[in-house]
Amino acid sequence: MSRIEVRGLWKSYGERVVLERIDLTIEPGSLVAIVGASGCGKSTFLRILLGVERPSRGRVLLDGAPLPPEPGPDRGIVFQRYTVFPHLTVLDNALLGLELRASRVFGRLFGARRRRARERAAAMLARVGLAEALDALPHELSGGMQQRLALAQALLAEPRVLLLDEPFGALDPGSRGEAQALLLELWEERGTTVILVTHDLPEAFRLGTRVLVFDRVRRDPHAPERYGATVTYDLPGHNRARSPRAPAAERASPRGGPP
Amino acid sequence: MRLVNRRPGREAALVLSLLPFLLLVLAYLWGSAVRLAENPADKLLPWPSTILETLRGLAFEPDRRTGQLVFWADTLASLGRLGSGLAIAAATGAVLGLAIGLIPIAGALLSSFAAAAAMIPPLAILPILLIVLGTGEASKIGLVALGTAPVLVRDVALRVRDLPEELLVKAQTLGASTWHLAARIAAPLVAPRLLDALRLQLGPAWLFLIAAEAIAATEGLGYRIFLVRRYLAMDVILPYVAWITLLAFAGDRLLAWIARRLFPWAKAGA
């Protein structure tokens, strides 16, 4: 569970301003949904949090410390596409994070350590409903199963913040509902801070404890690229499962959350 | 019905695909018969029985001078050189290609150099190889490796750069180091492409091998062809050419089979 603070953030590419004047504090354990029209910079904002893009101005702090300028295990990600590794089985996909962090030279575990990691990964996969598919390759899975695998994979790495970039956008309504429910359950169990970028307004309000709307407030009709988007609405979501500011003791956390 | 919409059935497709081969054989037999009728000692288009007789001698009767079965000794020598050269080229392609594609600093350092090196006509540096490495195995293996490696390096580098950024970012969020990214993500993901590139380089590899053998060798399929050329021994040259073609074809199928076996996930177009 981690606090994210965004202070005076701007992002521009040359003359084109994408984001401007963003000041935010994201409370630990909240599930913040970010919505906005396409091209409003919400994905750019997520990429800045991820460490793939850097702010042109301003700072982003994770638990009070500046964000590392590259992706790392403190921030997990689930993308809409290319979200799991096509050359690894379901189990190996889930194991990957455990193996990479435990073995600097081989990036693989052997013997008893592999068995322990395998048990953890298999338990997590069972939790997301993939117990029957451990040896399947990702292309044999449905889109919904792939996204559930991606969630399991990201959460096994125990990130301080989980970033989701339109993770359910490509799913059919049935599997989308399942995946959303699963996300809510896992979030409640673990208390990870989650930031969800979506273009689906009902999804944002259903899942989010807080909904941020990105839009351009200033417009210059002769130079539409002159001004960037900022947070225009900061609304409470319908997700009241847990108040993000509540003391830790009140949180229902059967598995004790990540350390 | 339009021609573009008429599809041959299974049997018809088989017959059609065999037809060009059949026509070639018939044309040869006709030409051979005409020439042999005019001059029974003609060497240019020997009758198949003559070719088979010569081939039997080369394949099953030890050479009087060296005691070797010439045909098999030539085949082994050539395949050894080809395999060694291609193995060196593939290893170079994998290592340098991964470095160039994955590490921006290595890319800045090496990609122009690799592009320039790929433009050097390999046959033009054959004399240099012969001078530097001598006329032994090294110069022939070296030519095959030098001739095919630049394409493999560039192909692997391009494939690595084409990998979805999402996968590389994702791996980093799972704790991957640069080495992990290369060894556990990029290398396995581009390995099927490397095998494909290797298949396409089989043709050039044989070209370089035969050129090197023609100039400096004491055995090998290319050496034999250029040796017997002086005696117009078409009864040796023709089966050797057919044999080289068959070997090249078999190599291509072998690599395709290996790719299918090792990378069952690649066929999904991921």
Side-chain angles (χ1 to χ4, degrees):
Chain A
M1 261 183 292
S2 293
R3 180 192 309 273
I4 298 169
E5 292 163 83
V6 181
R7 297 282 166 259
L9 180 96
W10 291 65
K11 178 68 189 177
S12 52
Y13 300 95
E15 292 285 288
R16 193 160 68 89
V17 181
V18 179
L19 295 169
E20 61 177 48
R21 297 177 300 149
I22 295 184
D23 281 280
L24 273 179
T25 300
I26 292 172
E27 295 299 330
S30 53
L31 199 168
V32 176
I34 298 177
V35 290
S38 52
C40 73
K42 55 187 194 292
S43 285
T44 305
F45 182 67
L46 199 81
R47 287 169 64 80
I48 290 173
L49 294 183
L50 191 54
V52 183
E53 303 265 358
R54 298 193 196 167
S56 309
R57 266 193 263 165
R59 297 184 301 160
V60 181
L61 304 175
L62 180 62
D63 288 330
L67 208 62
E70 61 174 359
D74 48 355
R75 286 149 291 155
I77 178 78
V78 175
F79 293 108
Q80 181 174 356
R81 297 169 63 226
Y82 302 117
T83 197
V84 292
F85 298 100
H87 62 298
L88 299 176
T89 63
V90 167
L91 180 66
D92 285 337
N93 259 291
L95 269 175
L96 186 68
L98 303 174
E99 290 193 301
L100 293 180
R101 281 177 306 151
S103 167
R104 301 226 45 89
V105 179
F106 297 107
R108 286 177 192 279
L109 292 174
F110 304 97
R113 295 177 70 198
R114 180 177 164 87
R115 272 200 302 283
R116 277 199 299 278
R118 189 187 185 285
E119 276 168 27
R120 261 188 78 190
M124 187 70 201
L125 288 171
R127 179 71 191 77
V128 300
L130 291 172
E132 308 296 314
L134 296 187
D135 296 320
L137 283 166
H139 72 84
E140 297 163 339
L141 304 181
S142 70
M145 289 165 95
Q146 289 192 21
Q147 292 312 87
R148 283 185 274 146
L149 171 58
L151 262 180
Q153 186 182 40
L155 286 174
L156 273 167
E158 298 185 337
R160 302 202 293 189
V161 182
L162 179 61
L163 306 171
L164 307 172
D165 191 359
E166 309 212 359
F168 313 130
L171 303 185
D172 63 85
S175 11
R176 182 181 311 166
E178 276 174 33
Q180 288 171 340
L182 178 69
L183 170 65
L184 277 183
E185 285 171 27
L186 291 169
W187 169 76
E188 275 181 45
E189 276 173 30
R190 309 186 143 237
T192 313
T193 309
V194 176
I195 296 178
L196 165 74
V197 163
T198 176
H199 60 260
D200 179 351
L201 215 53
E203 174 176 273
F205 279 100
R206 181 158 111 75
L207 298 181
T209 56
R210 181 179 175 192
V211 177
L212 301 175
V213 182
F214 276 40
D215 201 0
R216 293 169 202 272
V217 278
R218 302 190 286 174
R219 286 174 203 278
D220 180 343
H222 303 293
E225 301 192 333
R226 180 71 205 289
Y227 299 112
T230 189
V231 179
T232 49
Y233 293 98
D234 185 347
L235 307 164
H238 301 157
N239 177 358
R240 296 270 186 260
R242 175 183 57 197
S243 161
R245 283 164 202 271
E250 286 178 25
R251 291 187 185 126
S253 186
R255 295 204 183 185
Chain B
M1 202 176 186
R2 286 183 197 86
L3 202 52
V4 290
N5 291 328
R6 296 173 70 121
R7 293 175 198 286
R10 275 184 72 88
E11 291 84 12
L14 187 68
V15 170
L16 283 175
S17 68
L18 289 177
L19 203 55
F21 294 98
L22 195 67
L23 285 177
L24 182 68
V25 170
L26 285 177
Y28 180 88
L29 291 178
W30 178 73
S32 178
V34 167
R35 287 189 69 97
L36 288 171
E38 249 173 55
N39 170 16
D42 179 68
K43 302 195 74 170
L44 223 54
L45 297 178
W47 194 248
S49 62
T50 316
I51 294 179
L52 284 177
E53 184 54 33
T54 309
L55 197 58
R56 206 184 57 76
L58 288 169
F60 301 115
E61 287 166 19
D63 185 65
R64 259 169 292 166
R65 195 164 54 78
T66 61
Q68 283 182 322
L69 300 172
V70 172
F71 179 77
W72 300 113
D74 285 342
T75 303
L76 274 182
S78 287
L79 285 183
R81 290 163 190 154
L82 192 82
S84 311
L86 282 174
I88 293 171
T92 312
V95 171
L96 288 184
L98 277 172
I100 292 172
L102 208 52
I103 305 170
I105 293 173
L109 183 73
L110 289 174
S111 61
S112 305
F113 186 76
M119 291 301 140
I120 301 173
L123 288 180
I125 54 169
L126 178 56
I128 303 176
L129 289 177
L130 290 172
I131 293 166
V132 175
L133 299 175
T135 54
E137 293 302 297
S139 58
K140 293 181 273 291
I141 294 172
L143 183 69
V144 172
L146 271 177
T148 52
V151 176
L152 296 180
V153 170
R154 294 187 76 195
D155 198 58
V156 171
L158 288 175
R159 299 301 184 186
V160 171
R161 282 186 191 155
D162 279 348
L163 288 178
E165 185 205 13
E166 285 93 335
L167 289 182
L168 298 177
V169 169
K170 170 104 193 188
Q172 293 178 60
T173 68
L174 297 177
S177 63
T178 299
W179 160 247
H180 286 150
L181 286 175
R184 291 226 51 196
I185 310 297
L189 282 175
V190 298
R193 312 286 200 153
L194 176 62
L195 278 186
D196 275 349
L198 210 53
R199 284 172 67 191
L200 293 177
Q201 286 301 300
L202 278 179
W206 276 102
L207 166 70
F208 300 135
L209 177 73
I210 289 168
E213 286 181 343
I215 289 175
T218 54
E219 57 182 355
L221 297 168
Y223 161 76
R224 194 69 50 197
I225 291 178
F226 278 81
L227 180 75
V228 301
R229 176 190 55 116
R230 295 173 211 161
Y231 319 117
L232 297 180
M234 290 291 271
D235 53 339
V236 175
I237 295 177
L238 287 175
Y240 263 59
V241 170
W243 178 236
I244 289 171
T245 310
L246 190 68
L247 287 176
F249 183 75
D252 181 73
R253 301 313 318 164
L254 179 71
L255 285 175
W257 181 79
I258 291 174
R260 273 202 310 279
R261 284 300 300 268
L262 288 184
F263 314 113
W265 49 270
K267 68 178 184 301

